[in-house]
Amino acid sequence: MCQSPLHPFLLNLPKCEHHIHLEGALTPELVFSLAKKNNVTLPDLPHYKSSTSLTARYEQFDNLDDFLNIHYANMSVLITGNDFYELAWSYILAAHADGVHHAEVFFDPQSHTSRGIPVESVTRGYKRALDRAESELGVTFHLIMCFLRHLPVASAETTFDSANELIRDGLIHGVGLDSSEVGFPPELFTGVFQKAREVGLRRTAHGGEEGDVSYIKGALDSLHAERIDHGIRLVEDEELLRQVAIKGILLTICPLSNVYLHTAKSIASLPLRKFLDFGVQFSLNSDDPAYFGGGILNNYCAVQEAFNFSIDEWKTIAISGVRGSWISDERKRVLIGKIDDTVSSFRSLA
Ligand code: HPA
Ligand code: ZN
C-alpha cells in the first residue's frame, strides 16, 4: 500500500495486465510444498534451505540471467496438470484482489517439455483455472505461449508444432518471446513468428529490457510484434518512439521488475513521463509477482510514489491498457465504462 491519497482510487481502478509470466507467480511457499508433494529434490544451494532463505535471495539478483537461473530451477517442482492449475489460480486470486479485470498471461512450455511434461498438461491445467476465473469472478483472460530465446530456434519450432491442436482448439491466443535477451536477437525467430501469424495468433516480444533499442526495432520489423514487453529502452531512439506512439503499439512496462533486475536505477528514473508526453501507450505490470515485490497494485503504488500522477493521467494509463488488449470492441467498451465509473465516483468524493 502506498501513502498517496490516491491509494483507494488505484486499488479500485479497473486494470488490464499484459505482462505476467504464470511461472513467475510461483511463490517460495508453493516451491517447497510442491517439491514435497512431487518428491522433487531442490538444488543443494544455501538459498534452498527454506522459503525464508529463498525469499531473501530475491532481494539480491545481479541481473536478468541471475534471476532466470533461479526461476527455471524453481519450475522443476511443477509436474501435474493440477500443479499448473493451482499456480494459475493463486495468481488469479491475487490479481482479482488487485483490481485486474482482464489479463493476457505468458507461459513457457519449453521449461516444462524439456523435463518431459507434455505441453497439453501445462496448457490445459492453466486454462482450467482461467475458465474458472471467467465464470466465477468475471475476469477475462488470454494465454500467450512464449518461446525461450536462449534455446535453439528449432526448439521454438518444435514447440509451436506440438501446440498445433491447442492452437486449433483456441486455447492459445498469442505468442511471445522471453528469457535472456542480449545475444539472442528477435530476428532469429522470424520464421516461427511468421507461422504463428499465418494461423491468426497475436504477437508480442520482450525487447529493450537489458537489450538496446535495436531489439525493439527488430521485434517490430521482423516479428510483426503488436506489443513490446518492457520496451523501456525505446527512449534511445526518438524517431522510433514517435512511430510507436503513432502506431499505438503498447509497451507492457514492469517497474518493480526493472529495479529488481537493475535495468533501471529506480522507479523514478523510468521514462514514464516522457512516454505520456509523447503519447506512447503503456500498461504497468507485475512480470513475475513472486519475485519482484508483488503484484500489479504494488507496481501502481510504486509508480505513484515516484511520479505522483493525477487522476487524469491514471485514467489515460488504464484506458491505454484496454486499447492495447486483444479483446473485442464490446469488451473494451465495458472495461472503459468501468474505468469512467471509477474515475467519476472518486472525483465526486474528492
Ligand atoms: N525477461 C525475460 N524473460 C523473463 C522475464 C523477464 O523479465 N521474466 C520471466 N521470464
Ligand atoms: Zn517478462
Side-chain angles (χ1 to χ4, degrees):
M1 163 156 183
C2 58
Q3 299 305 311
S4 166
L6 290 197
H7 182 80
F9 169 71
L10 295 177
L11 170 63
N12 285 303
L13 188 61
K15 300 166 190 73
C16 294
E17 185 154 45
H18 310 102
H19 190 155
I20 144 79
H21 302 260
L22 285 175
E23 290 86 357
L26 183 61
T27 58
E29 292 72 24
L30 201 49
V31 169
F32 280 87
S33 68
L34 287 176
K36 192 164 177 209
K37 174 181 89 71
N38 291 328
N39 273 320
V40 172
T41 307
L42 292 166
D44 186 16
L45 290 167
H47 49 270
Y48 283 106
K49 263 189 137 150
S50 67
S51 62
T52 311
S53 57
L54 193 53
T55 306
R57 176 67 176 82
Y58 297 174
E59 297 301 318
Q60 297 168 3
F61 294 124
D62 294 330
N63 51 36
L64 175 60
D65 275 354
D66 183 36
F67 152 69
L68 289 171
N69 287 334
I70 296 180
H71 180 52
Y72 296 137
N74 287 350
M75 286 181 212
S76 66
V77 303
L78 294 161
I79 307 284
T80 67
N82 212 51
D83 297 341
F84 294 97
Y85 167 83
E86 197 185 328
L87 170 60
W89 187 247
S90 70
Y91 160 69
I92 287 162
L93 291 181
H96 181 57
D98 276 0
V100 171
H101 285 243
H102 174 72
E104 300 183 357
V105 298
F106 298 139
F107 72 115
D108 283 342
Q110 287 155 291
S111 306
H112 314 300
T113 52
S114 61
R115 302 180 288 114
I117 315 285
V119 67
E120 287 78 15
S121 304
V122 181
T123 314
R124 292 192 190 278
Y126 283 148
K127 185 70 163 72
R128 193 153 56 84
L130 305 184
D131 287 347
R132 177 177 172 197
E134 293 210 21
S135 67
E136 289 183 18
L137 307 173
V139 181
T140 49
F141 290 94
H142 288 317
L143 267 177
I144 300 174
M145 177 172 77
C146 287
F147 303 117
L148 298 178
R149 64 204 303 166
H150 72 278
L151 296 181
V153 173
S155 170
E157 302 265 4
T158 308
T159 303
F160 179 76
D161 293 342
S162 69
N164 182 28
E165 206 169 297
L166 297 163
I167 294 168
R168 203 196 53 213
D169 293 350
L171 274 78
I172 294 171
H173 199 82
V175 290
L177 189 63
D178 63 1
S179 194
S180 312
E181 184 178 14
V182 175
F184 304 98
E187 289 81 359
L188 292 170
F189 296 88
T190 301
V192 70
F193 267 66
Q194 177 60 26
K195 279 195 192 169
R197 193 168 169 222
E198 282 163 12
V199 298
L201 292 178
R202 310 301 297 256
R203 296 157 313 280
T204 187
H206 283 54
E209 180 186 16
E210 277 192 346
D212 64 26
V213 69
S214 70
Y215 288 77
I216 300 177
K217 192 163 173 23
L220 296 171
D221 293 347
S222 302
L223 306 183
H224 301 277
E226 301 164 88
R227 296 201 295 242
I228 295 293
D229 302 312
H230 291 294
I232 52 174
R233 293 186 66 174
L234 183 62
V235 279
E236 293 170 6
D237 181 341
E238 201 155 305
E239 175 50 33
L240 188 63
L241 186 145
R242 286 179 198 280
Q243 284 175 31
V244 163
I246 290 166
K247 291 185 182 151
I249 288 161
L250 186 82
L251 307 182
T252 69
I253 296 178
C254 306
L256 287 172
S257 163
N258 294 153
V259 174
Y260 271 76
L261 299 185
H262 310 287
T263 55
K265 277 205 280 296
S266 63
I267 305 275
S269 73
L270 288 167
L272 303 185
R273 167 60 56 203
K274 179 157 187 172
F275 289 158
L276 278 179
D277 290 347
F278 279 75
V280 172
Q281 307 213 38
F282 63 84
S283 61
L284 298 172
N285 305 272
S286 62
D287 203 359
D288 298 284
Y291 295 85
F292 304 143
I296 191 169
L297 180 62
N298 282 8
N299 279 274
Y300 276 50
C301 286
V303 165
Q304 182 59 0
E305 290 195 320
F307 286 90
N308 197 22
F309 285 147
S310 66
I311 289 181
D312 278 335
E313 287 166 333
W314 279 111
K315 182 176 174 186
T316 300
I317 294 167
I319 289 180
S320 295
V322 175
R323 296 223 169 99
S325 295
W326 297 332
I327 49 178
S328 67
D329 288 346
E330 176 51 24
R331 180 73 179 141
K332 287 185 185 181
R333 261 196 300 280
V334 168
L335 293 178
I336 289 174
K338 286 179 193 285
I339 292 169
D340 284 340
D341 290 348
T342 306
V343 168
S344 311
S345 68
F346 197 80
R347 281 226 174 88
S348 70
L349 285 176

